[in-house]
Structures are given as structure tokens and as C-alpha cells.
Amino acid sequence: MNIVVCVKQVPDTWSEKKLNPADNTLDRGATDPVMNEMDEYAVEEALRLQEASGGEVTVLCMGPESATETVRKALSMGADKAIHVLDDGLHGSDALATSLALSKALGTTSYDLVLLGSESSDARMSVIPAMLAERLGLPQLTFAKEVTVAADGGSVTIKRLTDEGYQVVEASLPAVVSVVEKINEPRYPSFKGIMAAKKKPVETLSLADLGVDGGDVGTAGASSAVESFETAPPRQAGTVVKDEGDGTVGAQKLVEFLAGKKFV
Amino acid sequence: MPDFRLDDDLEALRKTVAEFAHEVVAPVIGDFYEREEFPYDIVRQMGEMGLFGLPFPEEYGGMGGDYFALCVTLEELARVDSSVAITLEAAVSLGAMPIYRFGTEAQKREWLPALCAGEALGAFGLTEPAGGSDAGATQSTARLDGDSWVINGTKAFITNAGTDITSVITVTAVTGESGARKEISSIIVPAGTPGLTVGKKYSKVGWNASDTRELSFVDVRVPAANLVGEQGRGYAQFLSILDEGRIAIAALGVGLAQGCLDESLRYSREREAFGAPIATNQAIAFKLADMEVRAHTARLAYYDAAARMTRGEPFKRQAAIAKLYSSQVAVDNAREATQIHGGYGFMNEFPVARMWRDAKVLEIGEGTSEVQRMLIARDLGVDGP
């Protein structure tokens, strides 16, 4: 079974992010770039599925030159090869344009399963898996906390995380599956993996290679735009829940708060 | 043009280890330290990443890297915690390295795969209660009795000697005399050999999540084939092992010095006094600048020594310089970091307190600062006694 994992390079989750005032896009130079954390789980899942049933794992990444580092990390974790969609014309692409480029890139290779993280830690729109499935005309299974591929390789079943628990959803292959952090614990690349990654094939594709019109992607083709931005206000003081002594009033309020936020 | 930056592979390794240290080690190591408990699960994960096999060839289960890769890894670990860093350092450069460098093919095949995987730990029994720097003063003895060595003596301050996964201890012992000089040899003693008693854990000032023990040998019998390298070459062997180990300890010192700066930068930007972050006070800012200068220059020193060593050039003097200087800057940075943290710096829950306690031993272990100066002076041609 051949698996393609989509990975995105994002600013380090813990660093302070800045937007570039010139075109209201992310200032990628201002922070350390890393692989989107949720995508690490997708890579790990792909590798585990491969260990169980063979086939090839291909990494697909759309991003600037610096994203080669993210591609290499996925390869050093154990993926076999990579496709890097790299074109200056992609700068400023929104989710629709990104899904277009990714779907065209997927058209250049054969696959049974497309895996992605459920969201990226920068934009956090969580729409790419759905858009991609729609463009490819494939079933989409989202928010998977467990993925099982049928022994005959004909279908995939997931446990789909919901607020209350999980749903069991099945689809025929090929399919697009997005995963959540609960699914596994991503491995750290070994030094052997790091060394091996250098020798693995990385195919770089431009918009022309994909047959994508420059007007459909990038800032020009964006159907949404950031009009303005401002820095987040400083954090407000929290709410203090006073307990009246017997524990019940305070506990009740805490439970209500946690349930309201869907923490419990 | 000399270039003191890491190449892509080492930089990727450095980032991976840094991530591991922050995500896996940092959140839990303070509790292990407090309880003086060995972090088996962290060691297991380091093993899975291949850290214990870094400088060894793949045929023995290693990663096919070099000593530079080990040093970069040690620096990033020590930047967060020295106990796990010294556990790795001792396991690789003192435990497995003598077997790899001087052992027979059979010894390598028997011991190295599990050591490289981190599933087993090796220890090196050199120091004795009555002799550290003067390693030639070894009192432990090994005599050949038929097909066996019979070992008697005591070893002190041995890292990784008493963990649940310690598999092997290479010990140095007097095996004869040639003229006035003692003839010293290295011998492999499997853990659990009858007559080998592993003492209880020392109560240490620092490195509290690492395993350090006294070992006593009473008529410990091992096969004659357990001799490592040539008989009588033990002294020369451990001197060369210690030369390499000094670069590793230097990397540990740089990591600790850098960790002190990391913590101090974060704290002094957040902590306010008299209406402004304390980092805006020149008294603090200059301390931070000095800490950066020390960490940076010490790093260059160990990079130079490690590069010479991996190129196969002489590196004795550079290793001694790197070890001497980086252990000194580790102590200096730890002292300043604690000062910057004020009262919190004296609280064990703050990483800088742990770093302050861990720093001092770097000026002592694997050759004291005095021994380093002696080596450097000797190499300059101004010989002592």
C-alpha cells in the first residue's frame, strides 16, 4: 500500500509569530521553522502502516526553499521519498489554492491513502483535508485517533474523535485521512535516519510542472485576504471562583466552566 | 577557510536531540533528580534514537557516526540536564569505547550491539578510593590462575556501575611489574560475576539522576579471554580513552553553560524589579553577555578538539584546553545564572539550581583542572615531575 503524507512547515509553535505588514502574510524569517506538529503524527502513522503492510511512504510538501528542512525531517523519520512543490508564485496562497496545488501534485504519483495532520499550528483552519478530498473526488475521514487498513487493502476504518467520544467510520481506498495527536507518539529521527535522508529522492515540482495557472494560486489567486491585523491584547486577569467552605459551590462552578469549554 | 559551523547532518542531529531534551527530558528530570532515581524510560528512548551507538560502525549495531556527533548530542542534552548527559557520555566513551577500540572481534560482537542500542550500559572501573588523577597508582590486582583472571580490589565513583541494565564493567588492574613500573591491564567483568559487589549509590552534590557506585572485587574470576587488548597495555589504553573523553566532558560543560544562559535570558526578560524586566539593567545584561562569550568560546574550543580527533590528527593539547576551559565556564555561568535568579536560584525546583550543583564536578571528573594544566604545560615543553 502506497501512502502519501502531506506535511507543512510552520513557525515554531512556541515562538512569537509576526505578520509582515507589507502584504499581511506570515513573516517566516522572524521565527524558527519546524514541521507542523500534527503532521509529525501523520508521518508516524504512515510509517507504522508501512511497517505493518509494506508499500512506500511519500512525503508531499508545499512551501518555500526553507521547507526542505521539514521534508528532510520526514525522510529522516523513515519516509522513502518526497515531492516538494516549490514556486515563488505560491507565496500568499490561501487554503483553496493550497488544496489545488496539492491535488495536482498528488496527480503525479500513485497512492492508496493520503494522510495529513488535522490542522496546522499557524493558520489552524483545518480545511485542507476536506478540500483536498473534494478536489480528488475521494472519501474523507477526518480527526482519526486510530487508523486500520483492511487486510485486503480495499478499505480503511478510523475512530473519528468527537467531543463526546468517537465514531467508527469506514471508506473504500483510496481515501484522504486526517489524524489527531491522540493517534500515536511520533518517533525522533535516529542519526542513521538523518544520514540516510540525504540520499533519498526529492522531486521538486513548479507550478508549470503541475500545470497550475499562476493566477489561481498565491496572493493573486487568493479568495480570502487578511485585511488588517493587530497584536493580541495582553492576557486579562482570570476568574477567581470562591469556595464557600463546604466545597460544593466552587466545585459546581469549576465543573460548569470545564464542561462549557469541553474539557470534561 | 576554517568554518566553525556544523554541517547539515550534525545540525539535523543537534536539532533532533534539542527537541528530545525539551519535550522528553525537561518536563520530568527535576523529579528524578529530587528522588535520586535513574530515568530508565528516558535512557530507553535515547537508545531507540541510536544515541548510544553514535560513534560506532553499523556492523556492531552503531549509527556509523563519529565522536563529533556524540559531542554535539552531549551538549544539547546537558543544555537541559547533566545527569542524562553523563549517563550517555560514560556509557559510550568509557563503557563501550574501550571494548570497541581495544577489544577482540569476539568481545566486540558479544558486548557492543546491546550497548549501542542502549539496552545495556557499560562502565569503566579506573578510579580507586586511594587514586584518581594518579592512575598509575592503581592497587587493584588481577592474577592469572589457569584459564581465569582473579581480580581483587576496590573501584570508586564508577558511573553506570549499578543500574538494572548494566551489563559489563571494564576494570583496570595491576597484572605484574616490569622493573619498577607496575604493569596495568584492562579486563572485562560481566555484571553479576560472583565476588563483584556493587555498593549502594553515593549521596552526591549533583548529577543526582545518574548512577554512581563503589565496586568491590573479592576473588572475582573471569575467563582469561576477557583481557582487553594486550596485557600490560591498560595504562596506555585508558590514557587515550581519557583524552577522547575530555572532549566529551567539554561538550557537557558547554551545554551546561549554554543552558544557564538560556534559563537566565528567559527569567531576566520576565522578572521585573523597579518597574522593568531585570534584563534591562546593565548589571544583568553584562552578566548575560559574559555568559554568552564564555559558552561560545568554549564551544569553539571543543569543536576544534573534536574536529582534530575525527580527522585522525593529534588532539591531546586541544582536548585538555577544551576540558579545562569549558568546565571553568560551566561553573562561572552556573554561579551567575543562580545569582540572576536570586532566591529562586537557590530553590531546587529551578533548573539553574540543578545546573549549579552539576557544574562543579566537571572541574574534577575525567582529569581535574590541575591535571589538564599539567598536560598542557607538558605539551608546551615545560615538564613537571
Side-chain angles (χ1 to χ4, degrees):
Chain A
M1 189 178 63
N2 293 326
I3 305 171
V4 175
V5 197
C6 301
V7 299
K8 182 183 185 184
Q9 188 177 54
V10 296
D12 192 347
T13 324
W14 306 110
S15 63
E16 197 185 333
K17 290 154 204 152
K18 292 195 178 86
L19 291 180
N20 183 352
D23 63 356
N24 292 358
T25 62
L26 185 68
D27 183 356
R28 290 180 193 274
T31 58
D32 272 346
V34 297
M35 188 196 298
N36 177 42
E37 200 182 336
M38 204 86 87
D39 296 343
E40 289 187 19
Y41 294 83
V43 173
E44 176 66 33
E45 196 58 22
L47 296 172
R48 290 185 186 196
L49 290 170
Q50 180 192 38
E51 279 155 16
S53 53
E56 261 193 331
V57 174
T58 306
V59 179
L60 171 57
C61 180
M62 172 181 132
E65 190 70 45
S66 66
T68 49
E69 207 179 309
T70 288
V71 169
R72 241 182 95 171
K73 179 166 185 191
L75 293 174
S76 62
M77 285 172 77
D80 300 293
K81 55 192 174 69
I83 300 170
H84 184 178
V85 179
L86 171 67
D87 199 302
D88 288 344
L90 286 163
H91 174 77
S93 289
D94 62 2
L96 265 176
T98 302
S99 66
L100 174 66
L102 291 178
S103 68
K104 292 288 184 190
L106 279 161
T108 67
T109 183
S110 68
Y111 55 88
D112 304 293
L113 181 63
V114 179
L115 282 176
L116 314 84
S118 288
E119 65 175 31
S120 60
S121 63
D122 53 355
R124 303 196 62 184
M125 291 177 71
S126 218
V127 293
I128 293 288
M131 287 179 170
L132 197 55
E134 201 60 29
R135 287 192 187 275
L136 296 167
L138 296 178
Q140 50 159 312
L141 305 181
T142 50
F143 304 104
K145 72 180 190 101
E146 196 179 303
V147 176
T148 317
V149 173
D152 66 0
S155 66
V156 58
T157 307
I158 70 155
K159 286 185 179 168
R160 181 178 195 270
L161 191 69
T162 67
D163 289 340
E164 287 80 31
Y166 65 85
Q167 302 164 331
V168 178
V169 195
E170 186 184 327
S172 58
L173 287 174
V176 176
V177 174
S178 74
V179 306
V180 295
E181 311 99 315
K182 281 200 169 72
I183 196 164
N184 57 40
E185 196 51 57
R187 69 194 67 186
Y188 291 93
S190 72
F191 190 59
K192 214 188 280 181
I194 289 168
M195 302 285 281
K198 273 192 309 189
K199 296 176 194 123
K200 291 177 176 174
V202 179
E203 188 181 6
T204 304
L205 297 175
S206 66
L207 286 174
D209 295 331
L210 296 177
V212 173
D213 187 319
D216 292 337
V217 293
T219 320
S223 53
S224 60
V226 176
E227 289 291 329
S228 66
F229 65 87
E230 50 192 291
T231 48
R235 189 172 297 200
Q236 303 296 308
T239 312
V240 176
V241 177
K242 280 222 171 74
D243 186 59
E244 300 305 329
D246 65 353
T248 53
V249 180
Q252 184 63 33
K253 283 192 174 157
L254 282 177
V255 169
E256 280 167 16
F257 170 81
L258 291 171
K261 298 279 182 192
K262 292 182 174 162
F263 285 132
V264 291
Chain B
M1 254 326 219
D3 189 342
F4 299 100
R5 284 170 304 184
L6 298 176
D7 64 25
D8 287 353
D9 293 336
L10 288 177
E11 180 59 21
L13 174 69
R14 192 193 66 75
K15 278 195 173 159
T16 304
V17 177
E19 247 177 67
F20 173 81
H22 280 105
E23 292 169 1
V24 177
V25 181
V28 298
I29 198 64
D31 289 339
F32 281 101
Y33 199 90
E34 198 75 20
R35 296 195 303 267
E36 303 196 4
E37 189 182 325
F38 190 80
Y40 287 101
D41 196 49
I42 293 175
V43 168
R44 180 186 57 76
Q45 292 182 68
M46 285 159 63
E48 284 171 4
M49 288 168 73
L51 302 186
F52 288 90
L54 274 173
F56 304 113
E58 293 186 35
E59 54 178 317
Y60 302 117
M63 286 284 125
D66 55 30
Y67 211 80
F68 211 128
L70 173 68
C71 290
V72 167
T73 299
L74 290 170
E75 182 190 336
E76 285 303 325
L77 287 175
R79 200 169 160 181
V80 168
D81 176 67
S82 290
S83 291
V84 292
I86 192 60
T87 298
L88 177 66
E89 194 277 338
V92 175
S93 93
L94 300 179
M97 196 58 89
I99 297 176
Y100 171 63
R101 285 254 190 271
F102 310 112
T104 62
E105 190 59 27
Q107 288 168 345
K108 289 187 222 180
R109 300 239 171 252
E110 180 175 3
W111 300 107
L112 289 180
L115 295 177
C116 286
E119 289 161 3
L121 294 176
F124 189 50
L126 169 67
T127 301
E128 301 192 349
S133 297
D134 184 9
T138 303
Q139 289 176 356
S140 295
T141 59
R143 71 185 160 79
L144 209 46
D145 178 29
D147 280 348
S148 307
W149 289 105
V150 180
I151 305 165
N152 283 284
T154 307
K155 297 290 177 180
F157 315 133
I158 309 304
T159 306
N160 291 339
T163 72
D164 296 347
I165 55 173
T166 300
S167 67
V168 62
I169 301 152
T170 303
V171 293
T172 53
V174 179
T175 49
E177 273 171 30
S178 60
R181 240 189 142 135
K182 282 178 184 166
E183 177 199 277
I184 295 173
S185 306
S186 306
I187 298 168
I188 291 175
V189 179
T193 304
L196 166 61
T197 308
V198 178
K200 68 177 175 64
K201 283 189 295 187
Y202 288 102
S203 168
K204 292 176 292 191
V205 170
W207 283 358
N208 282 340
S210 76
D211 182 82
T212 320
R213 312 271 183 159
E214 184 170 281
L215 296 172
S216 106
F217 298 77
V218 178
D219 291 334
V220 171
R221 205 169 260 277
V222 298
N226 282 19
L227 180 72
V228 182
E230 270 173 68
Q231 186 171 337
R233 293 287 299 159
Y235 188 73
Q237 285 171 11
F238 68 64
L239 286 185
S240 81
I241 288 294
L242 290 184
D243 277 340
E244 296 176 7
R246 282 180 189 126
I247 311 176
I249 296 294
L252 233 103
V254 172
L256 191 146
Q258 183 66 48
C260 287
L261 175 59
D262 297 342
E263 293 295 328
S264 299
L265 271 175
R266 180 163 48 222
Y267 182 81
S268 60
R269 281 174 176 149
E270 281 170 10
R271 170 74 178 187
E272 294 196 357
F274 308 108
I278 59 171
T280 58
N281 292 323
Q282 200 176 63
I284 302 297
F286 277 18
K287 275 192 204 299
L288 294 168
D290 286 341
M291 288 166 83
E292 164 66 12
V293 170
R294 292 189 205 107
H296 177 73
T297 48
R299 183 177 296 113
L300 293 181
Y302 101 69
Y303 276 15
D304 177 42
R308 284 170 194 268
M309 184 196 148
T310 47
R311 283 198 302 261
E313 295 165 13
F315 61 92
K316 202 180 180 71
R317 183 195 303 188
Q318 288 75 19
I321 292 171
K323 201 281 184 177
L324 171 67
Y325 185 61
S326 78
S327 56
Q328 190 177 304
V329 311
V331 170
D332 288 346
N333 277 15
R335 187 184 59 247
E336 295 291 48
T338 308
Q339 190 66 23
I340 288 169
H341 279 69
Y344 292 112
F346 201 58
M347 297 299 119
N348 278 329
E349 66 188 279
F350 276 73
V352 290
R354 189 159 29 99
M355 290 171 179
W356 187 67
R357 294 168 62 180
D358 289 341
K360 180 61 205 172
V361 68
L362 296 169
E363 293 184 322
I364 300 169
E366 297 199 31
T368 60
S369 293
E370 291 73 16
V371 164
Q372 307 308 326
R373 290 191 169 89
M374 203 167 82
L375 291 171
I376 296 163
R378 206 177 273 170
D379 203 56
L380 289 172
V382 279
D383 218 342

